[in-house]
Amino acid sequence: MILAVAEMPVENKIFYAVLLFSWAVYLWEAYLAHRQRLVYKQTRHVPAELGAIMDTETLEKSRLYQLDKSNFSFWSGLYSEAEGTLILLLGGIPFLWSISGGITAKAGLGPEYEISQSLVFLTLATLFSALTGLPWSIYNTFVIEEKHGFNQQTLGFFLKDAVKKFVVTQCILLPVTSLLLYIIKIGGDYFFIYAWLFTLVVSLVLVTIYADYIAPLFDKFTPLPEGELKAEIERMAQSISFPLTKVYVVEGSKRSSHSNAYFYGFFKNKRIVLFDTLLEDYSPLNRTAEAEAECGEENDAQGESKPKPKVKKQGCNNPEVLAVLGHELGHWKLGHTVKNIIIGQMNSFLCFFLFAVLIGRKELFTAFGFHDSQPTLIGLLIIFQFIFSPYNELLSFCLTVLSRRFEFQADTFARSMGRASELYSALIKLNKDNLGFPVADWLFSMWHYSHPPLLERLRALGGAKQD
């Protein structure tokens, strides 16, 4: 067996090594998910440490939700891995490249128009990915998320949104890719430096324009009205010299009842975005529940025996929202955003440098069915996605560990601002609203969680008590 492997052509060794590593990663992920599913199945009672902050009903809802998500992830992951394996074994990549060449040939463009053929290939590949992923996305949204009360979309809205996302993605992806390929073609021996600088500029531009020009294509952004919350946010930003210019509320509730908050912008033009589902006073779920409760009171007044609906409060009150923002601003004040950008760009430069070293190796192309040509786009795909996969897995784990460290530091920053108790109660509320499960397998958590588990964060806040 060892002798047979040793005598195998180098391109075959590369191909099967890529395939074996891909399945090794999948089996490792499946093992971790299995460990976590056992936690979901076995934890049916609120742990003693959580007795004061979580009831049995909430734990059970969270447990069932996470079980459904985990089972879905297993089957969708298995399908994705099987699909990728079949594409490689059946020569799907060179086949699609050939189809792309046929399309460009019909337009009067020969093999010398490699960039045009690359753009057709990219369009077909992303279209194939979107279509094969659509049934899984529909099931996740309209079965799992719907079953557990998170989905707020209609099927028509969902499909319209999917088409819009695909079109916007192509409008960005195709010009950027064509310019990148052109730079690599004409860049000479130091093309990797120019390619890296180009991707750096593109990433900075996209981060700058995303919330102002791209995100509003999908969601409605409105300025946070004047009032106590806005005034407190501005005071908090001023106290740490955060150059805040605007505060927006995004209508995330039309898609999902999950909540979020973030800030964006460079230099002296920072902006904060709050999801309406994060704000107790803005959440549509609260308004609906209150209306149902009032209806129940009217029925009682009329002598009807129908019980009053229980009003479920979603989101955080103003002090808790300020605590959450204190955490987010801590990321900025402690330089986490800049550090992540630096790490990302160092990684990007290293990858382009190694790409420059490897792009001339014909056996890499031969391994994946390209015997007569070495297209630059295919080289990018092979090297970045397949050859770098072990490095990518290691980097991803290291970044996950670093992210958890940053989260603890940001919590500590919010605590230093005197908001420990408010952050404590906000974390509990957000965990309940999003049906987060408070108990995690240590190995699953270590490998996957970019944020520390709830219990670890509560302990680190120093025993602050919920009001």
Side-chain angles (χ1 to χ4, degrees):
M1 178 66 179
I2 297 176
L3 184 61
V5 172
E7 294 176 350
M8 189 181 294
V10 64
E11 54 267 24
N12 288 1
K13 292 178 181 178
I14 293 171
F15 179 83
Y16 289 113
V18 166
L19 210 55
L20 286 173
F21 184 79
S22 178
W23 275 98
V25 170
Y26 169 76
L27 292 174
W28 168 248
E29 297 280 0
Y31 168 69
L32 295 178
H34 171 70
R35 289 174 61 104
Q36 184 63 20
R37 271 195 299 276
L38 289 179
V39 173
Y40 296 145
K41 291 176 180 178
Q42 295 169 0
T43 310
R44 294 178 174 271
H45 302 285
V46 179
E49 195 170 0
L50 293 172
I53 61 176
M54 177 174 283
D55 55 64
T56 304
E57 181 185 1
T58 301
L59 182 77
E60 182 64 9
K61 287 181 179 179
S62 171
R63 189 181 74 84
L64 294 177
Y65 175 54
Q66 297 298 336
L67 262 177
D68 282 348
K69 285 179 62 180
S70 181
N71 290 330
F72 171 80
S73 179
F74 170 79
W75 290 110
S76 62
L78 179 60
Y79 168 80
S80 178
E81 189 65 26
E83 178 190 87
T85 300
L86 287 175
I87 288 173
L88 290 179
L89 289 175
L90 300 178
I93 298 175
F95 173 76
L96 191 60
W97 181 257
S98 176
I99 294 293
S100 304
I103 293 174
T104 53
K106 289 181 179 179
L109 303 176
E112 67 273 14
Y113 290 91
E114 184 189 307
I115 293 179
S116 299
Q117 185 174 350
S118 298
L119 297 184
V120 175
F121 175 88
L122 197 58
T123 302
L124 294 177
T126 52
L127 180 62
F128 174 81
S129 178
L131 292 176
T132 55
L134 185 61
W136 295 98
S137 183
I138 290 175
Y139 184 88
N140 181 55
T141 302
F142 293 98
V143 177
I144 296 178
E145 296 293 301
E146 183 80 28
K147 174 183 176 182
H148 295 279
F150 289 113
N151 176 48
Q152 305 295 323
Q153 305 177 72
T154 63
L155 182 60
F157 177 88
F158 175 88
L159 293 175
K160 178 183 176 182
D161 205 48
V163 172
K164 192 188 297 184
K165 286 178 182 177
F166 181 81
V167 171
V168 171
T169 299
Q170 299 308 305
C171 289
I172 297 172
L173 183 63
L174 297 182
V176 169
T177 302
S178 62
L179 286 172
L180 177 62
L181 294 177
Y182 181 72
I183 289 170
I184 293 174
K185 289 285 186 185
I186 68 168
D189 293 339
Y190 298 100
F191 77 83
F192 62 94
I193 297 177
Y194 309 132
W196 167 68
L197 289 173
F198 172 71
T199 56
L200 170 61
V201 171
V202 168
S203 63
L204 294 178
V205 169
L206 288 177
V207 168
T208 302
I209 69 172
Y210 173 77
D212 286 327
Y213 300 102
I214 300 176
L217 296 173
F218 303 94
D219 296 302
K220 182 180 179 182
F221 287 72
T222 55
L224 180 67
E226 298 293 335
E228 179 185 352
L229 179 59
K230 185 177 181 181
E232 287 292 335
I233 291 174
E234 290 173 343
R235 275 195 289 271
M236 175 188 288
Q238 188 175 12
S239 70
I240 61 170
S241 302
F242 181 78
L244 178 65
T245 55
K246 292 181 181 179
V247 183
Y248 290 109
V249 177
V250 60
E251 191 182 8
S253 56
K254 71 177 183 180
R255 300 174 186 280
S256 170
S257 56
H258 290 297
S259 51
N260 198 7
Y262 62 90
F263 70 86
Y264 69 98
F266 288 106
F267 307 114
K268 301 295 182 182
N269 187 31
K270 306 288 188 184
R271 304 176 187 193
I272 289 175
V273 176
L274 306 170
F275 278 52
D276 57 354
T277 47
L278 175 68
L279 308 175
E280 191 176 81
D281 295 336
Y282 286 82
S283 175
L285 179 61
N286 293 341
R287 293 196 293 270
T288 302
E290 288 167 2
E292 291 175 351
E294 290 175 3
C295 179
E297 291 173 359
E298 290 177 5
N299 289 340
D300 282 350
Q302 294 171 7
E304 298 180 13
S305 58
K306 185 177 179 180
K308 298 178 185 179
K310 182 180 179 181
V311 177
K312 175 189 174 184
K313 278 286 186 182
Q314 183 195 38
C316 300
N317 58 36
N318 287 359
E320 291 164 343
V321 171
L322 290 170
V324 171
L325 287 180
H327 168 94
E328 296 299 328
L329 294 179
H331 286 304
W332 171 81
K333 190 68 174 178
L334 298 171
H336 296 164
T337 306
V338 174
K339 291 173 185 175
N340 281 329
I341 291 175
I342 292 173
I343 292 171
Q345 292 309 312
M346 289 174 62
N347 173 63
S348 178
F349 181 83
L350 174 62
C351 288
F352 274 115
F353 172 74
L354 293 176
F355 171 77
V357 173
L358 296 172
I359 188 63
R361 304 293 294 269
K362 185 178 180 181
E363 58 267 27
L364 292 179
F365 292 87
T366 306
F368 295 92
F370 289 83
H371 302 281
D372 303 318
S373 62
Q374 298 181 39
T376 303
L377 179 65
I378 300 302
L380 286 168
L381 173 67
I382 291 172
I383 294 171
F384 276 76
Q385 183 172 337
F386 300 140
I387 305 303
F388 287 172
S389 53
Y391 166 74
N392 291 335
E393 289 295 323
L394 177 61
L395 178 65
S396 176
F397 172 70
C398 292
L399 291 178
T400 298
V401 173
L402 181 64
S403 174
R404 283 200 298 269
R405 180 178 177 85
F406 284 170
E407 291 302 318
F408 279 126
Q409 291 176 353
D411 283 351
T412 301
F413 182 84
R415 183 184 179 187
S416 71
M417 299 180 74
R419 301 189 181 275
S421 61
E422 291 85 357
L423 182 59
Y424 190 97
S425 58
L427 290 175
I428 294 169
K429 283 187 177 182
L430 293 176
N431 187 76
K432 290 181 179 179
D433 288 347
N434 293 286
L435 291 184
F437 199 73
V439 184
D441 173 75
W442 71 271
L443 192 56
F444 181 87
S445 169
M446 180 186 70
W447 189 261
H448 281 293
Y449 283 12
S450 61
H451 287 58
L454 176 64
L455 274 176
E456 292 184 21
R457 295 183 71 179
L458 297 182
R459 291 191 198 111
L461 282 171
K465 301 299 180 183
Q466 182 181 10
D467 294 338

